[in-house]
Amino acid sequence: MRALVCNEYGSFENLVIENHDAPVPGDHEIAFDVRAAALNFADVLSVAGQYQVRTPPPFIPGNEAAGVVTAIGKSVSRFKPGDRVIGALRGGAFAEQSVVDERFAMPLPAALDFEQGAAFSVAYGTSYHAFRQAADLRPGETVLVLGASGGVGYAAVELAHAMGAKVIAAASSAEKLAFAAEAGADHLLDYSTQPLRETIKELTGGVGIDVVYDPVGGELAEQALRAIGWRGRFLVIGFASGEIPRLPLNLALLKEASIVGIWYGAWAEKHPDELATNTQELGDMIEAVKITPRYSAAFPLEEFAEAFRLLAERRALGKVILRMERCA
């Protein structure tokens, strides 16, 4: 099989496509032909050796994919060969075949194609866990989503809207905000031209934000924390800006606000029963057309560098997909 391989930490430009043996599923794993895999900013960090969990080279990056089951381990009960599947992997998605633990796989809903399925598990799993378990989001509360046009940002806007919240989508351009608006945002905030704190104060009548969803970090984080309301919850998702903020904790004290870190992969490992419940509820939302995973760009595996570049330069709208079919 063909696979995209990181042989040493560095630029994504140095990744190479190599031929590897197809993986064999363990007792609790399913093997599947990968039809589409999605990129995340974590993949950019992983190949650079900068992610919070470092995988020693050589390794095949990629943490979410969709495809068709080809083989199952002896203890697998939920899948059979021929099933369409979505997998949340721990690496190995950027290859023609991969394996995933049965606990971290779900049937690909009939309403979704492979590209949509690949765009689903990390973005929607992260955002739903953040709102459901970490923030205990309630209908009528106000959510600020930073980086609202990115993969997790778009999912967060759509899920918060589906859960009955009022959503302020924030991004750095009119084009990005137009994309986020399609997810159901109630208000749009261009933080390249509008002062974030003052605009939020105006939009909320001075009450402030109930929940901040921040996958960006950098200087926006403190501005958002200053705009939070009494007993608001600040969700730390990631640092796409490349800068980890140093927040003045007196801001949390003065409003009895909570700052909560979200590490979806680690949570999923520790709470498989809650993960199963979340996955079922997300599947029900897809069935009810309350959420529809989106991607804005898809590339053949041979054009991986351009796909990575979209993410690294923060130009992506929604998810970016790698297709595993061979170029003619």
Side-chain angles (χ1 to χ4, degrees), residues 4 12-13 15 37-41 43-44 94 296-324:
L4 187 63
F12 55 81
E13 302 276 2
L15 298 174
L39 278 74
N40 293 282
F41 192 71
D43 297 315
V44 178
F94 300 157
S296 63
F299 298 87
L301 183 61
E302 290 81 358
E303 296 178 18
F304 67 86
E306 182 56 33
F308 270 86
R309 196 172 292 115
L310 278 179
L311 283 185
E313 296 176 358
R314 298 181 63 188
R315 293 186 286 117
L317 299 177
K319 299 290 285 192
V320 177
I321 302 296
L322 285 177
R323 293 186 175 122
M324 294 303 140

Side-chain angles (χ1 to χ4, degrees), residues 65-150:
V68 179
V69 177
T70 57
I72 61 174
K74 64 180 182 180
S75 299
V76 170
S77 59
R78 295 173 46 234
F79 298 94
K80 66 183 185 303
D83 288 347
R84 300 192 331 148
V85 67
I86 296 172
L89 291 73
R90 301 297 179 265
F94 300 157
E96 291 179 321
Q97 286 91 37
S98 193
V99 295
V100 63
D101 189 302
E102 180 184 27
R103 295 175 300 165
F104 307 125
M106 65 176 283
L108 176 62
L112 303 185
D113 59 27
F114 290 112
E115 288 81 2
Q116 288 174 300
F120 173 75
S121 59
V122 171
Y124 286 85
T126 297
S127 299
Y128 194 51
H129 162 54
F131 290 142
R132 193 176 186 277
Q133 279 83 27
D136 190 23
L137 180 63
R138 301 304 175 94
E141 290 192 310
T142 301
V143 175
L144 169 66
V145 179
L146 301 176
S149 65

